[in-house]
Amino acid sequence: MGKVIAKMEKESLVPLFRPEQYKVLSYRAGKMAVLAAPGSGKTTILAHLAASLLDKRLSKRDIAKGREILVVTLTNAAVRNFQDKFSASMQIRGLSAEAGYRIRTLHGLSHDIVRENAASLRLADNFLILDGQTQHRVIRQIVRRNLQADSTWLEEYTRQDYVAKGVLPKQAWWQYVTQLCVRFMRYCKDYAQSPGDLVAVSNYTTSALLRFCMRVYDEYQRVLMYQGAVDFDDLVAYALTHLQENESNLVHFTERWPYILEDEAQDSSRLQEQLLRMLSGDKNWVRAGDVNQAIHSTFTTADPSHFSAFASEPDVVVFRLERSGRFGRPVGDLANTLQKWVCFDHPARSARNAFDLLEIAPLEPGDGQQQPRMTDIAIHIHHMPGVRVSGDEESRLVLNSLHKWLPDHQEKTVAILVPDNARGFAVANLLKQQAVPYEEMLHSTSAVRAVVGVLCVVLEYMAAPSDSGRFQRLYRAVWRPYISNMADELVGNRIEHYLARHRFPEQLLYPLNGVMADDLPADFNTFCEYARQLLALLSYSIDELLVVLGRKLFHEPFEIMLCYRLGQIMSSIQAANPAWGIIEMIEEVRVIGNHQREYLADDDLRAGYMPRPGVVTVTTIHMAKGLEWDRVYLTGVNNLSFPSFQPGDRYLGSKWFVRDGLDLEAEMIAQVSSMVDSDEYHVVEEGIATQNSQVAYVNERLRLLYVGITRSRQELIILWNTGKNTVHGELLQPALPLLVLQSYLDGTLVF
Amino acid sequence: MDDLPHFERSLFLEGPVGVGKTAAAARFIHDTVINEGHSVMVIIPYPTLLHRYLPAKTKFLDVEKLYITTFTNFVLEMLRHFDQMTRSVFPDPNQPVIYAPPEVAYYHILSIATPYLESGLLDDVRLSPRRLCYIIENLLNQAAAAGLSLDAATSRLATSWEATQPYRPHVYGVLAQIAQQYRAFCRSQSLLDTSLALEIFNHNILDLSDFREHIHSCFSLVLMDNVEDMGAVAHDFALWVTETVSKSVFIYDQDAGYQVTLGIDPVNGRGLAEICDNHVTWKHEKKRIGPVEVSYRLASLIRSLADWPPILPFPAQNMVIAAGSVNLSVHPDYSQAIKTCVEKVISLVDSGVPLSEIAILSPYLSRMTCVDLQSSLKEVNIPSTAYLVADAPPQCVKSILTLAQLGIDHGVSHHSVAQALANLITVLDPVRAALLSQTVYHKGILSGFDSLTSNMQHRITSEVGAWYEKLRLWLEDNALLAQKSPINVFVERFAHEVLSQPGYLLSLESNSALTVARWVSILEDFTTAFVPLKDSVKLNLEIIKQINTGKWSTESVVVGDQFPSDVIIAPASVFMRMNRVVDYQFWMDIGSQWWWREQNTAFINPFILRRSFTHDAWTDTLHTDIQRQTLQKYSSGLLRRCRLQVYANFVEQSPSDFRQISPLVYTLQVLSHQWAK
């Protein structure tokens, strides 16, 4: 019977898959690594494999017993994406995707384990999970308090010319130290080091910074303990602890999840790998990823070396998916050129390890998938030596190009990939001004900023209703664009003019004789009634207010949901800061809105994101991973965003006020590593870690460039800018890889 | 509808929800008092049941003959009645015994527990101070309700867990220390909280011959309703009653048992059947229809599930279950679920359904969800009452306390002063209130209206100025009152001498006047029980800050005023305790874990502390059984209180952004498949 099904499966599925993909689908048990080039269909294959395992390897009885195929991937967006592909695959098999599987992020999975076993993990049953914002705020407060008590030790790390002048850039230091502490704690948690484990080290380390971070870590953990809370890193550690503490706990879960599939394995952290290895019993574990697309290691604990090491284990079967039908051959060749140049010819030997050479191969003739036609392919590198181009000017160049191209290509998709969010906001603004249809995938979208902006205007008005300026702004920024249905522009202008002249809002809203002195349009009276309704809500607390305002101000489900989420976050902030007044609360709402992704933990907007024809997507290269467009503008490819150890190259880890260009984060982590890796504490020679971190940074940026290039299906335009101002007397230069790729296109570089 | 069967001395009547036990009991009491002239005491576990018996009471001319009380109130009453005996339990019998409301008890526990947290003695667990206080409170209450000493209770907890979770014995040791220290503090101050009252009643009053004589002479019949929702000490009293009064009736609800963290013991309660002369069981009719039928099938399904929890992640979808008795709708987020719920309520109301026949329920309801529901319903003129524990005082009280604080410290913001003034002076609008506070208020001092420029006086108006001046002068004249006298005295005099006068809030709003009057009494209790703070300035400031910053969830204050004609919004257990049946129910967020997990039971496991607990250790099987029982209790309990239809909604993502797994959705879907067959 099983063979018949296998034969049917093969017959029905072979036309859909290439031979190497089918090999992956033939997996039945054991450990497997799938090394996949961009566009090779890795996630789709993994989803089919999950469906196949569910169909063939789990009986109805297994499913009734609660056994599941476990899939772990990187983000909520990826979970949704996987779910869609998995459901489609089940549909092909004539099955419904009802039970017997679980698709989770690492944190989601850990949460499941911890929530089920809270008490045995010494947590109250309704333990609190600290969101990113609260976590950051708590750490910021601890850092500030400790630095206020003593910041003299910072001089040791400050540039000598500043120290000599007696100038300590306090604000910059405070922010940087907070960032260092956050990173330190993440690292310690990834290595399961509690503050208690570090006590011995703190006694004899000579590093004042390390001692400071340990103190902050200790205080932070106490705050968590005190609040009965855990943070996201704790969730994973707790789940691991639960499995390690008791054999029966582990057996319970290994039986529940007989197969574990992991997507985006190149971004796996040490803890993640440890957790999944335990859950799989080191048996049925399939990991798919592409180390050449590992672009999250700089600011997280993700490390592609874990996946590489896994692929080298003797009992791991390795498959390579090299064929890609995503892009036309020239784009694939350009990406391969970048790989090969880096691997063989990069002037810095240390950068040559950035890639694990996996050449992208074109499709075989007759492949079911259609590769873009050669006639549609175009690659252009916009390189004008000697011309000064600021970031804004670069954006305008892109805009001009779009103006010419977009009207004739409404059926195509297009993206502007930017190196960071700040540039993305600027590009989005420009597109908005020029009325070019666009969508954002940035840390914060304009839609979110707009909602928060409206909320803040309303809250600010409610906090000081006697302020005529705020009353005017309520009309101009909220009533006119969002609430009023009045189409007559002139009437609106007249009311605005009237409000600007009239300095006493109380006489407009609550006239003594009950009637308005002036003969004003009906819209004005309706507005006043609306303002009075808002003031009637003054007795609500901030979380209640946000929810009620959400219903009152907005209509779109997304906007209302956002207000609800803001309310939830503000509820916990309010509980932690009962003495805060409305001014502090408004400021907090604004901060949350501006850093939506970090604080609202909201990548739902990205979940299932599909580029729309005729609409420009603005996003960072990081967020573009996994997506593709017909035309891609890859911007900002200069020696700040993509350094390559060339004279004048800049590195993100170095701060202008830190002495000797030290990357303190790297220095500190090197010291922690030395503690964790051996029983004794060894002093790490200063500067080496900074150099190593520059290598890691350069390598990751090279991979980021590779990711950017491989987002394009047909047309790729690469640009760079000199920056607005000079840095140490120098303008930014084109990134070395850009020049290399230019030579390749010119035909002067051949591989 | 059946009447109670005839019995000679004692009757134990049991049955599921909705068979008419309480209604029959109320009729029986009515007949007993009116026709036979007996004096009757009715003891209920929670005040929400009171309304079932009150109609009977109001018909009697001789109200003395019917005494209805909760068990806790009865205990307190008896302690007051036998005051000498009660005092003798405390080190200083000359000192009057003071009752500590839960909030004050909580405050004292907090001050004792905090050093333990800070010293790191509890580093084995992650608990906030607030949570730790709940835990201590639960420990005390549950031990007292079961008649266990603190040592016996913590030792039982430690033993039950020591094999599987070795860290626990140490934690329970520390919890016992905190609880003992708090108890010693109460004794030294002659402070009586609910758990100590139960303890004294059990050990010192129950055996008094005077007490037996008192009850015997006062009542010829004692009826205890919902004995399953009472603790073992109450059951001991029930046993005592059968030997003391002429007649006794005990009513047992087979599906109930809601006040889990208060130490109830349904199994022990069921044991009363053995000592009664008559034992009667009522059942639902065999031909059950609608939600009641669904409740039986669902309960049977939950019991029969092979694995628990059924964690299969169904892609939940909208569906109609059980011939239309249950409608399940799936939503991406909470705001959508609330919107759909409100729309459905509107359509029901439009089609003529009385408001009181609609209840919106969930085991856990956040304040935010309630506000969203209430304000959305208010927009379309549908009144609703939320039965939630208040965590902030009513606006009128908050305003008074804000102005009281002005006389004590300078920490009040302009915004708060403006709100207080706008709230208390009827002619003052929010805009002029903001102007006024910005101009007259500075560092705790309200200056005179005439100190303002004539332009500003004109803007704020002389009428407002006059009302403001009157209020300000009173505050100025009575500045010492807020400092030297108990805060309740300040509030009472301020309310009486100023705010009840024309031009101020209480003269216009009788509800606010009643609220303030109630708060005067609550504040008096707080002040009296705040024994260690003798300095009135500090004491008043502490009380104001505790209340106005929401640190006290003022349990003594309000558990929803009874507005029987409104749409009900309530936590499921509160609704079930109301003993009401409605036509339509809305179940919010059935993916939430609180549908199948009891809240606040992780450390002080109420099941282990029950007298009826006979196991040596807490096992996974017991754990699973409790979860099944909880799911069954909520789902069946609610269905049996619904006549026509349940609208259940499922939100896919939890507030923490994780996909929810719901045994309830699972069982409803399985039920749907079974029903279709």
Side-chain angles (χ1 to χ4, degrees):
Chain A
M1 186 67 180
K3 282 182 183 171
V4 175
I5 294 170
K7 187 166 176 285
M8 282 170 60
E9 180 189 57
K10 192 168 181 178
E11 280 166 1
S12 62
L13 297 182
V14 159
L16 289 173
F17 298 110
R18 296 190 271 281
E20 68 273 20
Q21 291 177 328
Y22 191 75
K23 279 183 193 167
V24 173
L25 284 174
S26 306
Y27 167 87
R28 289 296 173 261
K31 290 195 283 183
M32 177 164 82
V34 181
L35 312 181
S40 60
K42 162 179 63 80
T43 304
T44 307
I45 293 301
L46 214 56
H48 277 291
L49 178 58
S52 164
L53 289 172
L54 175 55
D55 186 15
K56 305 290 177 324
R57 297 279 143 181
L58 289 195
S59 65
K60 278 188 178 169
R61 193 176 155 74
D62 286 332
I63 295 172
K65 280 185 170 177
R67 294 200 176 136
E68 297 168 325
I69 306 295
L70 173 65
V71 179
V72 179
T73 186
L74 195 61
T75 59
N76 283 337
V79 167
R80 296 262 175 96
N81 184 26
F82 200 100
Q83 172 79 53
D84 291 345
K85 290 181 190 260
F86 174 77
S87 301
S89 177
M90 290 295 280
Q91 218 169 7
I92 291 173
R93 286 158 202 277
L95 301 168
S96 59
E98 280 190 351
Y101 70 96
R102 181 183 299 232
I103 307 167
R104 284 283 196 269
T105 59
L106 174 70
H107 290 119
L109 173 68
S110 306
H111 179 262
D112 290 349
I113 296 172
V114 174
R115 188 63 82 186
E116 262 182 52
N117 303 281
S120 67
L121 285 161
R122 303 151 197 216
L123 295 165
D125 49 6
N126 54 352
F127 68 88
L128 194 71
I129 302 173
L130 228 58
D131 58 82
Q133 190 215 14
T134 315
Q135 179 191 21
H136 205 267
R137 189 161 38 76
V138 169
I139 297 172
R140 202 171 60 214
Q141 281 168 355
I142 299 172
V143 167
R144 188 165 282 255
R145 195 176 56 245
N146 278 285
L147 284 180
Q148 270 164 349
D150 177 22
S151 60
T152 51
W153 61 272
L154 286 174
E155 288 179 10
E156 186 188 326
Y157 299 96
T158 309
R159 267 172 48 181
Q160 284 311 302
D161 49 340
Y162 282 71
V163 178
K165 283 184 214 157
V167 183
L168 196 70
K170 266 193 181 168
Q171 211 54 39
W173 260 121
W174 287 16
Q175 275 181 17
Y176 186 42
V177 171
T178 306
Q179 183 190 321
L180 290 173
C181 288
V182 170
R183 188 83 173 95
F184 172 82
M185 287 178 215
R186 286 230 168 110
Y187 192 84
C188 288
K189 288 184 178 184
D190 198 40
Y191 275 84
Q193 296 293 304
S194 70
D197 297 329
L198 302 172
V199 166
V201 183
S202 66
N203 291 335
Y204 51 77
T205 179
T206 53
S207 164
L209 174 63
L210 201 57
R211 277 204 303 273
F212 184 86
C213 289
M214 285 175 187
R215 190 160 64 241
V216 173
Y217 183 25
D218 185 49
E219 285 186 32
Y220 170 70
Q221 286 303 104
R222 289 205 166 276
V223 170
L224 287 189
M225 196 90 80
Y226 209 70
Q227 294 189 350
V230 296
D231 62 22
F232 281 108
D233 298 311
D234 285 333
L235 268 185
V236 187
Y238 264 86
L240 199 61
T241 305
H242 181 70
L243 301 179
Q244 286 167 337
E245 253 179 9
N246 194 321
E247 178 72 23
S248 66
N249 295 346
L250 181 60
V251 170
H252 171 74
F253 285 105
T254 48
E255 280 180 1
R256 183 189 287 181
W257 296 313
Y259 291 94
I260 297 179
L261 275 54
E262 185 187 0
D263 199 7
E264 307 293 1
Q266 75 281 354
D267 291 319
S268 190
S269 68
R270 189 176 158 280
L271 270 187
Q272 170 163 341
E273 193 185 70
Q274 224 177 328
L275 184 73
L276 296 187
R277 195 178 285 278
M278 283 195 84
L279 284 174
S280 71
D282 215 13
K283 285 179 191 158
N284 300 332
W285 185 13
V286 178
R287 310 184 75 186
D290 179 6
V291 288
N292 295 342
Q293 294 188 73
I295 53 174
H296 292 288
S297 51
T298 306
F299 298 109
T300 67
T301 49
D303 186 346
S305 68
H306 299 309
F307 182 46
S308 298
F310 173 82
S312 312
E313 288 174 20
D315 55 342
V316 173
V317 178
V318 180
F319 288 110
R320 287 170 174 256
L321 302 181
E322 294 166 331
R323 293 192 188 283
S324 172
R326 174 188 289 169
F327 26 68
R329 186 158 185 167
V331 177
D333 287 347
L334 190 76
N336 286 340
T337 301
L338 177 67
Q339 276 200 69
K340 284 188 279 188
W341 170 74
V342 170
C343 288
F344 303 121
D345 278 351
H346 196 288
R349 285 194 169 274
S350 54
R352 293 183 187 176
N353 297 322
F355 291 100
D356 187 357
L357 193 61
L358 180 71
E359 282 196 64
I360 303 166
L363 299 181
E364 297 275 11
D367 191 289
Q369 191 182 356
Q370 262 204 332
Q371 202 145 17
R373 288 174 308 178
M374 286 299 281
T375 48
D376 291 334
I377 315 294
I379 300 175
H380 174 66
I381 295 180
H382 191 83
H383 172 45
M384 294 183 295
V387 178
R388 187 171 171 156
V389 184
S390 69
D392 287 345
E393 283 159 349
E394 182 194 30
S395 303
R396 273 192 285 275
L397 282 173
V398 173
L399 198 68
N400 290 340
S401 163
L402 276 171
H403 273 311
K404 288 179 200 154
W405 181 84
L406 205 54
D408 299 331
H409 298 87
Q410 284 294 308
E411 77 291 358
K412 296 208 170 183
T413 56
V414 55
I416 304 172
L417 305 188
V418 291
D420 55 52
N421 281 285
R423 172 75 1 226
F425 296 152
V427 171
N429 269 342
L430 205 59
L431 291 169
K432 192 176 182 181
Q433 283 166 17
Q434 303 277 324
V436 178
Y438 74 98
E439 288 171 337
E440 286 168 88
M441 273 208 312
L442 299 165
H443 258 168
S444 162
T445 60
S446 53
V448 172
R449 292 197 298 280
V451 168
V452 171
V454 167
L455 284 172
C456 287
V457 170
V458 173
L459 291 171
E460 277 163 359
Y461 167 68
M462 291 173 75
S466 57
D467 183 324
S468 61
R470 294 185 187 197
F471 190 45
Q472 279 172 50
R473 197 152 61 242
L474 183 72
Y475 182 82
R476 193 179 58 242
V478 179
W479 177 259
R480 264 188 94 174
Y482 286 93
I483 318 284
S484 170
N485 292 319
M486 192 191 55
D488 194 334
E489 194 76 359
L490 287 175
V491 173
N493 293 344
R494 192 182 144 211
I495 295 174
E496 267 193 39
H497 187 62
Y498 177 80
L499 286 170
R501 274 189 297 124
H502 211 298
R503 311 296 297 167
F504 304 143
E506 71 279 4
Q507 292 173 6
L508 302 177
L509 281 180
Y510 303 96
L512 288 181
N513 52 9
V515 286
M516 296 301 305
D518 303 88
D519 181 22
L520 282 163
D523 187 59
F524 178 77
N525 289 329
T526 327
F527 164 66
C528 288
E529 175 52 32
Y530 190 78
R532 283 191 289 270
Q533 285 175 15
L534 289 178
L535 294 177
L537 304 175
L538 270 169
S539 60
Y540 283 131
S541 58
I542 185 75
D543 52 339
E544 297 166 342
L545 198 52
L546 286 166
V547 171
V548 176
L549 288 178
R551 303 264 180 218
K552 223 170 164 47
L553 294 165
F554 305 108
H555 300 291
E556 293 295 322
F558 156 75
E559 296 168 328
I560 297 168
M561 180 193 79
L562 186 65
C563 294
Y564 203 87
R565 286 206 180 175
L566 277 169
Q568 283 171 331
I569 294 173
M570 291 309 295
S571 173
S572 62
I573 291 176
Q574 187 175 248
N577 304 281
W580 274 17
I582 192 160
I583 309 295
E584 289 96 333
M585 292 292 182
I586 296 169
E587 195 43 47
E588 204 65 18
V589 170
R590 204 188 294 280
V591 170
I592 295 168
N594 286 339
H595 297 81
Q596 162 207 345
R597 283 196 193 285
E598 188 184 346
Y599 294 158
L600 293 178
D602 183 4
D603 61 357
D604 286 355
L605 297 173
R606 199 189 153 207
Y609 178 77
M610 289 291 288
R612 285 196 292 149
V615 177
V616 182
T617 306
V618 182
T619 186
T620 59
I621 310 175
H622 275 100
M623 296 198 75
K625 190 169 170 295
L627 295 171
E628 58 193 38
W629 292 267
D630 294 322
R631 173 180 270 222
V632 166
Y633 293 91
L634 188 53
T635 65
V637 187
N638 54 29
N639 64 340
L640 174 68
S641 299
F642 300 94
S644 257
F645 295 115
Q646 297 304 293
D649 281 3
R650 318 268 323 149
Y651 302 91
L652 212 61
S654 330
K655 296 285 176 197
W656 53 271
F657 48 88
V658 177
R659 71 172 163 83
D660 307 325
L662 286 178
D663 178 345
L664 291 180
E665 185 176 315
E667 295 293 333
M668 185 181 62
I669 284 173
Q671 296 194 42
V672 181
S673 298
S674 88
M675 302 176 324
V676 173
D677 294 340
S678 82
D679 293 337
E680 289 177 19
Y681 174 66
H682 302 284
V683 177
V684 180
E685 195 184 330
E686 192 176 87
I688 293 177
T690 300
Q691 279 174 21
N692 291 340
S693 90
Q694 285 178 358
V695 170
Y697 181 67
V698 165
N699 291 359
E700 186 174 302
R701 301 308 281 193
L702 285 166
R703 293 193 292 267
L704 189 66
L705 185 59
Y706 176 76
V707 169
I709 290 170
T710 51
R711 299 310 97 200
S712 155
R713 267 205 300 257
Q714 299 174 356
E715 295 179 80
L716 174 67
I717 298 115
I718 306 178
L719 301 96
W720 70 282
N721 63 66
T722 57
K724 200 170 180 181
N725 302 310
T726 59
V727 181
H728 300 304
E730 287 180 18
L731 286 170
L732 295 173
Q733 299 296 315
L736 179 62
L738 179 137
L739 299 175
V740 170
L741 295 178
Q742 173 79 67
S743 321
Y744 165 75
L745 291 179
D746 294 345
T748 52
L749 177 74
V750 181
F751 276 104
Chain B
M1 202 179 275
D2 288 342
D3 284 332
L4 288 193
H6 176 73
F7 66 99
E8 287 299 325
R9 276 190 64 82
S10 56
L11 170 69
F12 186 88
L13 171 62
E14 68 174 314
V17 167
V19 290
K21 302 183 296 296
T22 300
R27 281 198 307 279
F28 171 72
I29 285 165
H30 181 264
D31 293 346
T32 307
V33 180
I34 297 282
N35 302 336
E36 299 173 27
H38 290 299
S39 296
V40 176
M41 173 161 70
V42 175
I43 297 183
I44 48 181
Y46 27 79
T48 40
L49 267 182
L50 200 67
H51 74 279
R52 297 301 304 267
Y53 292 95
L54 270 183
K57 187 175 171 92
T58 51
K59 287 176 190 164
F60 303 136
L61 290 173
D62 189 358
V63 288
E64 293 294 314
K65 290 203 163 183
L66 179 57
Y67 173 56
I68 310 170
T69 180
T70 63
F71 183 66
T72 310
N73 266 340
F74 168 71
V75 165
L76 290 171
E77 189 89 347
M78 290 304 103
L79 261 57
R80 272 193 286 271
H81 187 84
F82 296 97
D83 185 52
Q84 286 306 315
M85 170 50 81
T86 307
R87 284 184 188 217
S88 72
V89 176
F90 291 92
D92 182 0
N94 296 321
Q95 198 173 321
V97 174
I98 303 159
Y99 175 68
E103 294 76 17
V104 176
Y106 185 87
Y107 177 84
H108 293 314
I109 294 174
L110 185 66
S111 55
I112 290 169
T114 303
Y116 282 84
L117 270 180
E118 287 174 348
S119 69
L121 268 171
L122 280 166
D123 277 3
D124 277 345
V125 287
R126 282 198 183 187
L127 297 171
S128 62
R130 202 181 172 113
R131 177 69 40 200
L132 179 58
C133 289
Y134 276 129
I135 284 174
I136 301 292
E137 201 183 5
N138 283 347
L139 174 64
L140 289 161
N141 285 335
Q142 288 170 29
L148 292 170
S149 69
L150 277 172
D151 283 341
T154 45
S155 137
R156 191 191 271 208
L157 287 165
T159 313
S160 300
W161 294 103
E162 66 186 351
T164 50
Q165 295 179 23
Y167 78 93
R168 287 209 185 218
H170 165 72
V171 172
Y172 291 126
V174 180
L175 296 182
Q177 273 182 50
I178 299 171
Q180 297 283 16
Q181 200 177 325
Y182 165 69
R183 185 53 80 231
F185 169 80
C186 288
R187 286 182 184 276
S188 69
Q189 304 290 333
S190 296
L191 209 56
L192 186 71
D193 66 4
T194 310
S195 56
L196 184 56
L198 265 183
E199 216 176 293
I200 296 172
F201 176 79
N202 192 28
H203 292 131
N204 304 85
I205 305 288
L206 199 55
D207 290 336
L208 281 181
S209 54
D210 285 356
F211 175 60
R212 190 179 292 272
E213 182 52 38
H214 173 70
I215 297 294
H216 180 74
S217 63
C218 289
F219 306 107
S220 52
L221 169 71
V222 172
L223 185 144
M224 291 173 75
D225 198 351
N226 284 75
V227 286
E228 77 290 341
D229 242 323
M230 296 178 186
V233 167
H235 301 145
D236 291 345
F237 171 70
L239 176 64
W240 180 94
V241 159
T242 59
E243 298 158 355
T244 306
V245 299
S246 312
K247 280 191 168 195
S248 49
V249 179
F250 307 106
I251 298 177
Y252 181 86
D253 193 327
Q254 291 165 338
D255 307 308
Y258 305 121
Q259 305 196 102
V260 173
T261 53
L262 289 183
I264 60 161
D265 194 343
V267 177
N268 197 61
R270 176 72 177 62
L272 290 173
E274 310 300 320
I275 53 125
C276 288
D277 304 334
N278 296 66
H279 176 186
V280 177
T281 304
W282 285 359
K283 292 179 178 165
H284 275 119
E285 287 173 21
K286 285 206 169 152
K287 191 167 177 268
R288 299 176 297 243
I289 50 163
V292 174
E293 173 60 8
V294 179
S295 78
Y296 277 90
R297 292 206 192 191
L298 200 63
S300 142
L301 185 61
I302 292 168
R303 279 196 299 271
S304 69
L305 286 172
D307 289 286
W308 186 268
I311 44 166
L312 312 180
F314 272 60
Q317 52 199 11
N318 295 350
M319 56 165 41
V320 179
I321 297 158
S325 294
V326 179
N327 272 267
L328 173 66
S329 62
V330 180
H331 305 276
D333 62 75
Y334 282 79
S335 53
Q336 290 290 302
I338 289 171
K339 182 171 177 265
T340 309
C341 168
V342 169
E343 284 168 358
K344 190 65 208 172
V345 170
I346 294 169
S347 79
L348 288 175
V349 173
D350 287 347
S351 66
V353 175
L355 302 182
S356 58
E357 289 300 330
I358 299 170
I360 303 173
L361 310 162
S362 179
Y364 172 74
L365 270 177
S366 73
R367 202 165 34 84
M368 231 172 67
T369 303
C370 277
V371 166
D372 197 8
L373 282 165
Q374 285 198 286
S375 64
S376 300
L377 290 170
K378 196 177 168 188
E379 284 277 308
V380 286
N381 297 319
I382 296 180
S384 60
T385 299
Y387 292 80
L388 276 194
V389 171
D391 60 359
Q395 191 58 34
C396 52
V397 175
K398 196 171 180 177
S399 300
I400 296 172
L401 292 178
T402 299
L403 295 185
Q405 194 179 341
L406 293 182
I408 307 174
D409 80 346
H410 301 162
V412 186
S413 70
H414 278 104
H415 186 70
S416 302
V417 171
Q419 269 188 274
L421 292 174
N423 191 244
L424 299 177
I425 300 173
T426 53
V427 293
L428 181 55
D429 60 73
V431 183
R432 290 186 174 86
L435 269 181
L436 187 61
S437 86
Q438 278 159 23
T439 46
V440 298
Y441 175 64
H442 184 63
K443 287 192 177 172
I445 294 170
L446 290 172
S447 50
F449 190 70
D450 55 5
S451 67
L452 302 182
T453 61
S454 58
N455 178 39
M456 192 53 75
Q457 288 187 16
H458 176 70
R459 285 183 67 184
I460 294 169
T461 74
S462 54
E463 187 191 6
V464 167
W467 295 120
Y468 163 74
E469 267 308 288
K470 195 175 163 192
L471 181 144
R472 186 190 72 82
L473 285 171
W474 188 92
L475 288 172
E476 196 175 271
D477 291 346
N478 294 279
L480 286 179
L481 194 62
Q483 295 177 5
K484 303 279 182 193
S485 311
I487 192 68
N488 51 300
V489 175
F490 173 91
V491 174
E492 190 173 17
R493 282 194 50 199
F494 188 35
H496 179 68
E497 292 171 23
V498 181
L499 302 179
S500 305
Q501 306 305 314
Y504 300 100
L505 178 75
L506 305 188
S507 68
L508 278 187
E509 290 188 12
S510 55
N511 273 345
S512 297
L514 287 173
T515 304
V516 172
R518 195 171 51 182
W519 265 83
V520 168
S521 137
I522 289 164
L523 288 170
E524 189 177 357
D525 283 351
F526 287 175
T527 312
T528 317
F530 244 93
V531 278
L533 281 176
K534 298 295 181 196
D535 177 341
S536 58
V537 172
K538 283 187 186 164
L539 171 67
N540 287 352
L541 192 58
E542 191 62 39
I543 292 179
I544 292 169
K545 283 189 175 168
Q546 292 279 329
I547 294 172
N548 275 359
T549 55
K551 280 187 182 163
W552 284 352
S553 51
T554 39
E555 288 171 45
S556 337
V557 182
V558 65
V559 186
D561 286 329
Q562 303 279 333
F563 292 106
S565 60
D566 290 358
V567 169
I568 299 164
I569 302 173
S573 59
V574 171
F575 176 74
M576 292 197 284
R577 291 203 301 253
M578 289 176 188
N579 212 357
R580 270 182 78 163
V581 181
V582 293
D583 284 348
Y584 296 94
Q585 289 181 4
F586 289 82
W587 294 2
M588 303 301 290
D589 189 18
I590 63 169
S592 151
Q593 59 175 329
W594 305 126
W595 282 92
W596 52 293
R597 286 183 172 160
E598 291 287 1
Q599 296 175 58
N600 303 321
T601 58
F603 289 104
I604 305 302
N605 185 322
F607 306 99
I608 293 176
L609 292 183
R610 285 177 179 176
R611 192 180 287 174
S612 56
F613 183 77
T614 52
H615 303 268
D616 295 330
W618 185 250
T619 61
D620 285 352
T621 315
L622 289 170
H623 187 64
T624 301
D625 284 347
I626 293 298
Q627 292 184 347
R628 281 175 201 259
Q629 283 173 29
T630 306
L631 181 64
Q632 189 183 323
K633 179 179 75 179
Y634 283 124
S635 55
S636 296
L638 290 178
L639 280 161
R640 286 171 197 176
R641 287 170 173 83
C642 180
R643 290 189 203 95
L644 297 177
Q645 205 158 33
V646 169
Y647 295 94
N649 61 52
F650 174 63
V651 179
E652 288 174 316
Q653 297 288 111
S654 75
S656 321
D657 241 4
F658 294 106
R659 194 173 157 209
Q660 304 210 85
I661 292 166
S662 168
L664 184 51
V665 175
Y666 174 83
T667 43
L668 284 174
Q669 290 195 339
V670 172
L671 186 69
S672 174
H673 288 297
Q674 287 180 355
W675 208 291
K677 284 175 190 166

